[in-house]
Amino acid sequence: MKTHGLIVAALVAAALPLAPAHAAPQTAAARRAEREAALGRKTDAGGPSKDLAGDVTRDKATDGDQGPGIEYDIFRFNVELQLKEKRRELMGTLEQMVAIGGDSAEQPDLLFRLAELNWEESRYWFFEANRMEDKALRCEQGGDAACATSARTEQQAYLKNRDDFQARAILRYQELIGKYPDYKRVDEVLFFLGHNYWEAGKDKEALAAYKALIQRFPKSQFVADAWLAFGEWYFNNSEGKRDMLQKALDAYTKAAAYPESRVYGFAVYKQGWCLYNLGDYPGAADKFKATVFYGELAQNVANANKTALIREARKDYVLAYSHFGDPTQAKPAFQQVGGEEEWWGMLKGLAGLYYDTGKDKEAVLVYRQLIREQPLSPEAPLFQ
């Protein structure tokens, strides 16, 4: 919900048309449309945020001026260009050394490093393609169609470069596994092979590599990532089928058997979504709560990812709670999960969910509590 201040909120509320005394009951869609007209469209409380799944895209069309950040972008771009030149030189040297052959003890290390460099080069072109996407959107906003077309042409060329270098990385990983199956880091090679296949959209090949990793190296530090990939595949292809959701849940559970893994929190979070889609709302709420607690304590999760994980888990805890929880006990439950800073927003979200789904009695109870808790809030007239 969007807060516009006491006067504006009161005027908006006053402007809402009064329903006739004997009006027919509203559908959930009608309720939602009316409420959004008054309060502004609320954030979707549906499925997991794409941010948590590794999606680094954003709504570039509404980002606005980057301000001082442009200077940093220029600096980073210059650094990336220098790294690109050094990387190309090193790749050329390694290509020659691999072609010559030589000490068999060094060959697998050379192949592994060469595969890594090709992967890094593919990442470079991926980010360059994103940069061209940014440019194209700016050109479109400025009404310069020719500039936008040119930027998108460059973007497609950069994406082709990304695909080419990713394919080279895959070939090197395959060569390394084929020639040196006893290489000391072959579990890592299998992981990166699967990772590159996954990014290239070759899911079945990726899962085959991850399966080999799990079977051959059950104690590898990469096993949790491999199980997470299986969970993602089953979840994304479930289409509501219970057997697929159960397989996804099992895979996520196995990934979460490694608390020290960097994917532990996300694996617990996705268990919550499996349970939610299976209709086990209390179980889902428990997993979302556990994700919040883990995110607040975890030291091995990057700050940005940690913040997104906690935010989404809190929102989804509210969604699960709306299916089974007692509205009169929501405040203490939300204080436990959200603390003093977040419980109020969570309670507002619960009221909105009740209203949107036609649970009038529950919505009234929560809105009444919101008014009682903060009677002078600018939102109180809308709650009333």
Side-chain angles (χ1 to χ4, degrees):
M1 292 182 236
K2 298 179 180 178
T3 304
H4 301 288
L6 179 59
I7 296 176
V8 175
L11 289 173
V12 171
L16 290 175
L18 296 176
H22 302 288
Q26 289 180 297
T27 64
R31 290 170 180 271
R32 187 158 49 251
E34 178 182 291
R35 181 166 171 272
E36 288 171 357
L39 306 181
R41 186 172 183 84
K42 71 182 184 67
T43 301
D44 179 22
S49 167
K50 289 193 297 182
D51 294 338
L52 300 178
D55 190 319
V56 296
T57 60
R58 61 185 185 280
D59 186 0
K60 304 178 183 70
T62 58
D63 273 354
D65 185 12
Q66 296 296 315
I70 291 177
E71 294 182 4
Y72 171 73
D73 285 343
I74 293 174
F75 168 77
R76 185 179 65 181
F77 177 68
N78 289 332
V79 170
E80 287 174 354
L81 285 178
Q82 295 176 30
L83 290 175
K84 175 191 171 186
E85 294 304 317
K86 294 294 183 183
R87 184 167 56 244
R88 285 293 183 88
E89 291 178 11
L90 183 55
M91 288 169 64
T93 301
L94 289 179
E95 289 281 4
Q96 292 176 0
M97 294 175 68
V98 168
I100 294 173
D103 188 351
S104 60
E106 294 182 353
Q107 283 294 99
D109 288 325
L110 294 176
L111 284 171
F112 193 18
R113 184 58 184 137
L114 189 53
E116 288 183 311
L117 289 170
N118 276 285
W119 179 80
E120 291 171 10
E121 188 73 7
S122 76
R123 292 290 83 196
Y124 168 80
W125 288 112
F126 170 73
F127 290 120
E128 284 298 288
N130 281 350
R131 204 190 307 276
M132 284 299 105
E133 173 69 10
D134 288 336
K135 181 179 179 180
L137 288 171
R138 289 194 299 270
C139 292
E140 289 172 352
Q141 291 169 358
D144 191 339
C147 171
T149 299
S150 175
R152 294 199 184 282
T153 299
E154 286 192 64
Q155 180 190 24
Q156 292 305 310
Y158 292 164
L159 289 174
K160 184 180 183 305
N161 288 343
R162 176 205 62 182
D163 294 342
D164 289 344
F165 281 101
Q166 191 167 64
R168 294 182 192 182
I170 289 173
L171 287 174
R172 288 303 185 183
Y173 286 128
Q174 290 175 327
E175 181 182 358
L176 177 50
I177 294 171
K179 290 183 176 180
Y180 306 97
D182 297 324
Y183 178 49
K184 61 185 178 181
R185 298 173 64 184
V186 74
D187 63 324
E188 194 173 351
V189 176
L190 284 167
F191 168 72
F192 282 111
L193 176 61
H195 180 72
N196 275 269
Y197 271 136
W198 190 274
E199 288 194 336
K202 298 179 179 180
D203 295 354
K204 291 184 178 180
E205 291 87 346
L207 293 179
Y210 288 137
K211 183 178 180 180
L213 168 60
I214 293 168
Q215 291 177 337
R216 293 180 58 188
F217 306 97
K219 296 183 179 180
S220 169
Q221 62 175 313
F222 301 103
V223 167
D225 299 77
W227 278 120
L228 182 71
F230 273 97
E232 290 290 86
W233 189 85
Y234 284 122
F235 186 86
N236 294 335
N237 292 280
S238 63
E239 297 181 347
K241 298 175 183 176
R242 295 184 66 85
D243 61 329
M244 292 285 280
L245 288 169
Q246 188 59 56
K247 288 180 180 179
L249 177 59
D250 292 343
Y252 289 132
T253 301
K254 289 175 180 176
Y258 303 85
E260 73 285 354
S261 168
R262 63 185 180 87
V263 302
Y264 173 81
F266 187 58
V268 174
Y269 174 77
K270 291 302 290 283
Q271 287 179 61
W273 268 103
C274 289
L275 292 168
Y276 180 90
N277 286 303
L278 287 167
D280 183 357
Y281 303 120
D286 285 342
K287 292 299 181 183
F288 294 140
K289 181 194 295 187
T291 303
V292 172
F293 292 163
Y294 165 79
E296 291 174 339
L297 297 174
Q299 300 297 321
N300 62 338
V301 181
N303 286 336
N305 290 336
K306 181 190 296 187
T307 301
L309 187 67
I310 294 173
R311 181 180 63 247
E312 294 298 316
R314 283 195 182 117
K315 183 183 74 172
D316 298 331
Y317 176 84
V318 175
L319 177 64
Y321 189 94
S322 72
H323 288 278
F324 74 94
D326 182 348
T328 64
Q329 298 301 312
K331 178 184 174 181
F334 291 176
Q335 284 178 320
Q336 185 182 24
V337 178
E340 289 303 315
E341 294 184 358
E342 302 293 339
W343 73 267
W344 172 261
M346 294 172 69
L347 200 60
K348 286 196 297 181
L350 179 64
L353 286 169
Y354 282 148
Y355 186 91
D356 288 346
T357 54
K359 296 180 179 179
D360 294 341
K361 179 180 178 181
E362 292 85 349
V364 167
L365 289 172
V366 179
Y367 278 126
R368 183 179 294 163
Q369 183 173 6
L370 287 166
I371 295 170
R372 186 167 58 248
E373 292 286 344
Q374 296 189 19
L376 299 181
S377 168
E379 295 170 294
L382 296 177
F383 296 157
Q384 183 63 46

